[in-house]
Each structure stands twice: as C-alpha cells, then as structure tokens.
C-alpha cells in the first residue's frame, strides 16, 4: 500500500510486484513488504522493474522454496503490444468497484471502458468476506510492524505520537487474533487463485482509492496524525493484493473537479507483472496529465530557481 496509495495521489504509476520478486533482506520478518517503482510513465516503471527484479541469490527464502530453478524469471514480454487487448479478461466485483466517491467511480469506469474498446472483456466476479479480510490484513500488518520495531517501542526511543499509538495497537493484538488473521489470509489466497483460474482472469480491477487524497489536519504538521479508520478506508480496494502477495499496479486515470488525481488499480496473479505493465501502457495515452500548481523543474541548470507555477490547476 506504500506504493499504490502514493501513486494514486501523485498522478504516477506505482507497481507493487509479487511478494518476493524484488529481493530484500528481511522477507522472513515482514510478509507483506514489497519493493517496486513509482514512475512518471508506464515505460519508466517497466525499466525500473526490470532493474529491480534481479535474480534472487541462493540464500533468498523464495529461492529456497522454489529449489534450484529459483523464482520464475522477471519478464517484460509483450509490454508494448497494446494495439489490441483481445484475450484480456478483467474481473470486476461491481459492488466493491462502485463503493467509491462518484467522481472516482466515474473515472475508473471510463478507464475500464477504454480497455474494453481495445478488445478486453469484463468478467463479473464476487469476492466474499472482504470486511473480514480487511480486518485480517490490518491485524497481520500491525503485528509485524510492532514486532519489527519492538526494541524502539520498549526502549522509550523518541517516536512520533502516531507511531507510538500504532505500535501499541500491534502489541495489544492477541496470538489467537493473529492466528485467525493468517487463517483468513490462507483462505483468501486459495480463493483468489481459484477465481483467476476458473474465470481465466488477466487482472482484477478496482479504483485505487475510493476517494481522492484526504485533507490533512493542520495539527498533523505538529504531532503527526493517528487515524486508523481513515487508513483502512483508503486501503479498502488495494489491501487484498498486499495480504496475499499478488502483484498490482496503480495507473493515473483522471482528476476530480478540485484537480486531485484518481487512480485505477489492477491486480494480477503471481509473477504476472508484465501483464500489468502492458495494461498500464494501454491506459497511459488516455489521460492528459496536468502540471502541478507548484512544479520544480529538475532539469534546470540553476537548481536554486524558484518553483514554477506557470500552468496547471492539478495535483501536487
């Protein structure tokens, strides 16, 4: 979610690969931590992914799980082939898809129709128990976060108040609750794999967020902000990819009347990052992106120049 949500709020592409695709050192401690690119264009996201997804070494947990052959190789196969999307099947759980602000739902639905115009097919699906799965995700990630930072929490290390609250929440969760969340996680994994196979799905599509970026409370600049309910609400369309480790991408598809960005979220089966990048390329040309109201041109030779506000009523 630390890839998809920032991407949706900043009019950029955010690719969260399959869990374990990009090797990092602490996969055994954090089971929902992903590393992926935030990029200005779909092509940049593809290049960055190819560079990040280097072959995992023999000591990587996924290499050990998969045996001598290691992980399936990273690929950019057919990423730029977007003249037609015939054969692409996009799963949509409409009750969930439309559980968003009207403008967000409108832009997301139009982007879906743009994919259909290229030959993709929409397949009606359902995913039961989403509320329970969202809670399972919150419990599991809170426990892992609290476990990883436990030494800071109990050593009275100076932390922001909102971080102290979050660590405290994680420390208050019982072993029974944590085990129950992982039972639900296993159920969700099997349910989604079955869903992809039974309907021959290419991706499952939702808005990235059900609303545009929320207004930041003025007091947050002083002491941070603890608003777990808001975080859960912002994550309601994307948490499941994080919970089960599936790859997903957020693609910019529109702006609200206030000029704030709207993102579309596409989730594929394990190791199908190239498919997500191909759909991102297909969508990229449909949006006329706006320059932010405050804009720093990093190509200026004089880096001390003041920010430009020459154009745009768009996002920050």
């Amino acid at each position: 979610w630390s890839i998809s949500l920032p991407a949706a709020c900043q009019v950029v592409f955010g690719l969260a690969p399959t869990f374990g695709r990009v090797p990092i050192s602490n996969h055994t401690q954090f089971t929902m931590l992903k590393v992926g690119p935030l990029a200005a264009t779909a092509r940049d996201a593809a290049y960055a992914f190819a560079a990040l997804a280097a072959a995992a070494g023999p000591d990587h947990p996924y290499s050990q799980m998969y045996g001598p052959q290691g992980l399936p190789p990273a690929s950019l196969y057919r990423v730029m082939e977007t003249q037609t999307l015939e054969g692409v099947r996009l799963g949509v759980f409409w009750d969930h898809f439309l559980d968003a602000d009207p403008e967000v739902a409108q832009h997301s639905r139009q982007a879906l129709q743009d994919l259909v115009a290229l030959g993709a097919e929409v397949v009606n699906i359902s995913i039961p128990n989403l509320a329970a799965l969202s809670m399972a995700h919150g419990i599991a990630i809170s426990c892992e976060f609290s476990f990883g930072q436990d030494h800071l929490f109990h050593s009275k290390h100076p932390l922001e108040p909102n971080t102290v609250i979050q660590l405290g929440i994680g420390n208050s969760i019982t072993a029974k609750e944590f085990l129950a969340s992982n039972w639900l996680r296993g159920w969700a994994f099997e349910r989604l794999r079955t869903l992809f196979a039974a309907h021959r799905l290419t991706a499952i599509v939702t808005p990235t967020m059900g609303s545009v970026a929320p207004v930041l409370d003025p007091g947050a600049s002083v002491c941070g902000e603890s608003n777990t309910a808001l975080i859960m609400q912002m994550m309601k369309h994307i948490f499941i990819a994080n919970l089960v480790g599936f790859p997903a991408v957020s693609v910019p598809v529109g702006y609200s009347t206030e000029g704030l960005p709207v993102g579309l979220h596409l989730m594929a089966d394990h190791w199908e990052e190239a498919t997500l990048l191909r759909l991102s390329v297909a969508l990229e040309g449909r949006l006329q992106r706006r320059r932010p109201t405050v804009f720093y041109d990093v190509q200026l030779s004089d880096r001390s120049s003041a920010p430009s506000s020459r154009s745009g009523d768009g996002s920050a």
Side-chain angles (χ1 to χ4, degrees):
W1 60 275
S2 57
I3 297 173
S4 298
L5 293 188
C9 293
Q10 299 180 64
V11 210
V12 298
F13 294 80
L15 176 67
T18 306
F19 175 78
R21 166 62 80 190
V22 178
I24 55 176
S25 60
N26 56 356
H27 269 127
T28 55
Q29 181 176 340
F30 297 106
T31 66
M32 285 176 277
L33 182 62
K34 298 180 179 181
V35 177
L38 292 169
T41 69
R43 183 178 297 210
D44 287 346
Y47 290 151
F49 166 70
L52 288 168
D59 295 331
H60 189 276
Y62 265 37
S63 293
Q64 296 174 10
M65 288 172 60
Y66 277 81
Q69 72 273 20
L71 281 67
S75 168
L76 297 182
Y77 178 64
R78 299 186 67 192
V79 163
M80 302 306 296
E81 295 181 16
T82 59
Q83 295 86 352
T84 176
L85 295 180
E86 290 185 14
V88 169
R89 293 170 59 84
L90 303 174
V92 179
F93 181 19
W94 285 109
D95 287 347
H96 189 46
F97 186 103
L98 297 175
D99 184 17
D101 290 348
E103 282 190 302
V104 172
Q106 177 186 350
H107 284 296
S108 299
R109 194 163 192 165
Q110 182 57 57
L112 182 63
Q113 289 303 312
D114 289 341
L115 294 174
V116 170
L118 290 171
E121 178 183 356
V122 173
V123 180
N124 295 332
I125 63 171
S126 64
I127 306 174
N129 305 316
L130 281 172
L133 293 176
S134 176
M135 182 61 69
H137 174 259
I139 288 173
I141 203 167
S142 292
C143 284
E144 292 188 1
F145 179 58
S146 296
F147 177 78
Q149 307 300 324
D150 192 62
H151 61 294
L152 299 177
F153 182 72
H154 289 287
S155 67
K156 306 303 179 184
H157 185 87
L159 299 169
E160 283 189 342
N162 63 307
T163 303
V164 173
I165 292 170
Q166 184 58 55
L167 292 175
I169 291 172
N171 274 280
S172 71
I173 294 170
T174 67
K176 183 182 291 187
E177 290 167 334
F178 180 68
L179 288 172
S181 74
N182 277 284
W183 185 90
L184 285 167
R185 189 180 187 183
W187 179 88
F189 182 88
E190 293 300 327
R191 173 76 184 195
L192 286 172
R193 292 300 300 272
T194 300
L195 195 63
F196 270 94
H199 294 282
R200 295 179 287 113
L201 297 179
T202 305
I204 294 174
V205 187
T206 64
T208 304
M209 292 201 314
S211 64
V212 295
V215 176
L216 187 65
D217 188 283
S221 61
V222 178
C223 58
E225 181 177 8
S226 177
N227 194 336
T228 301
L230 176 61
I231 294 297
M232 296 286 280
Q233 180 72 6
M234 292 171 64
M235 293 176 58
K236 68 182 177 183
H237 289 107
I238 66 167
F239 77 86
I240 201 161
N242 206 39
L243 180 67
V244 298
F246 283 21
V249 66
S250 180
V251 180
V253 294
Y255 296 90
S256 71
T257 53
E258 292 84 12
L260 294 173
V262 174
L264 188 75
H265 189 256
L266 301 106
M267 177 179 71
D269 203 351
H270 276 75
W271 318 115
E272 292 294 330
E273 291 87 359
T275 296
L276 295 175
L277 289 165
R278 182 186 179 209
L279 295 173
S280 301
V281 171
L283 283 170
E284 184 169 19
R286 66 171 298 279
L287 176 65
Q288 184 63 42
R289 294 165 72 181
R290 307 173 188 173
R291 174 173 290 181
T293 304
V294 177
F295 175 73
Y296 290 88
D297 190 340
V298 297
Q299 298 184 22
L300 288 175
S301 58
D302 182 4
R303 298 301 175 88
S304 63
S305 297
S308 168
S309 56
R310 289 172 290 174
S311 64
D313 55 353
S315 63

